[in-house]
Amino acid sequence: MGKTISLNMAIGEKKLLTERIEKLTRTIEIVKAKGKKAEAVGGVAIKDVETKLKSSYQQLTDLLDERDRLELAIVQKNAETVIEINGQKFTIAQALIRQKSIELKKEILRRLRENYEKETIKIDQANLLAEKEALAGINATNTAKGDLASNMKNAFDIIYDTKAMELLDPIGAVKEIEKLEKELLEFGSKLSYELTDINAITKIEY
C-alpha cells in the first residue's frame, strides 16, 4: 500500500531520506576481516556479524529505492499540476524553472545596481574635478582680445571636455534595472506564494 502525502511533506521527506542515505553511506560496511578459525569478530558471533552486514546494506538500498519512488512521484506531479500567475499558466515543473531564474535575476539586479552606482559616482566625481580645473584654468587665461565672456566660455569648455566623463550605456541601464525590479516584485513574490500554496494542497502517492 502506497503512502499519500502533500507535495510539501514529500519535499521534506526526500530531504530527510537523502540525509539518511548520506549518513549511512559514510559508515556502511559490507565485509569484515576475521580469523580463519575464529567463531566471532570483536566478540560478536559470525552469524550475527553477517546478519548485520547484510542488514545495513539492505537498509541502504531500501532507502535509495524509497527516495527514487518519491522523487519520481514528485516529478510526475510537478509535470501535471498547473498554477496561474498574473494570467500566465505554468506547470509546477515550469514554475520551478522560473523560480530558479528569479533567484539568478535577483543577483543580476544586485550587480546591475552596484555597477550603475559605482560608475555614476565615478562620473560625478570626475566632472566635479573637471569643473574645478576648468574654472581655475579660465582665471589664468589671457582674455584681452575679443569678447571676454565668449573667450572664457570657450576656455572653460576646452578644459572641462578634456577632463569630464560620461556614461557609456548601450542597453539603457535605468530602464533595465526598473524592468527587473518590476518583474521580481510582481512575478517573483507571487510565484513563491503560489508554489507554497499549491505544494501544501497537492497530494502525491508513492
Side-chain angles (χ1 to χ4, degrees), residues 93-110:
Q94 292 170 327
L96 289 171
I97 292 172
R98 291 294 299 270
Q99 188 177 52
K100 178 60 178 177
S101 179
I102 289 294
E103 292 305 311
L104 293 172
K105 286 181 179 180
K106 286 180 181 179
E107 181 59 24
I108 291 171
L109 177 59
R110 185 200 65 77

Side-chain angles (χ1 to χ4, degrees), residues 74-82 91-94:
I74 292 172
V75 169
Q76 289 176 334
K77 185 61 69 173
N78 285 348
E80 64 187 31
T81 305
V82 176
T91 63
I92 293 179
Q94 292 170 327

Side-chain angles (χ1 to χ4, degrees), residues 12-96:
E13 182 71 14
K14 188 183 77 169
K15 181 180 179 181
L16 288 175
L17 284 169
T18 300
E19 290 173 352
R20 290 176 64 190
I21 290 167
E22 290 172 347
K23 182 178 179 180
L24 187 54
T25 298
R26 288 192 292 268
T27 59
I28 190 73
E29 291 182 324
I30 59 171
V31 294
K32 277 283 189 183
K34 78 172 189 69
K36 284 187 176 182
K37 296 184 178 181
E39 296 182 355
V41 176
V44 180
I46 296 296
K47 282 191 175 182
D48 291 339
V49 173
E50 288 179 337
T51 298
K52 184 178 180 181
L53 293 173
K54 290 178 182 179
S55 174
S56 294
Y57 191 63
Q58 186 62 53
Q59 182 185 7
L60 181 59
T61 56
D62 287 346
L63 288 172
L64 284 165
D65 288 343
E66 183 176 1
R67 187 191 180 284
D68 286 347
R69 291 196 307 273
L70 183 57
E71 177 83 23
L72 180 60
I74 292 172
V75 169
Q76 289 176 334
K77 185 61 69 173
N78 285 348
E80 64 187 31
T81 305
V82 176
I83 60 176
E84 185 171 330
I85 303 169
N86 294 341
Q88 300 180 67
K89 291 185 177 181
F90 306 89
T91 63
I92 293 179
Q94 292 170 327
L96 289 171

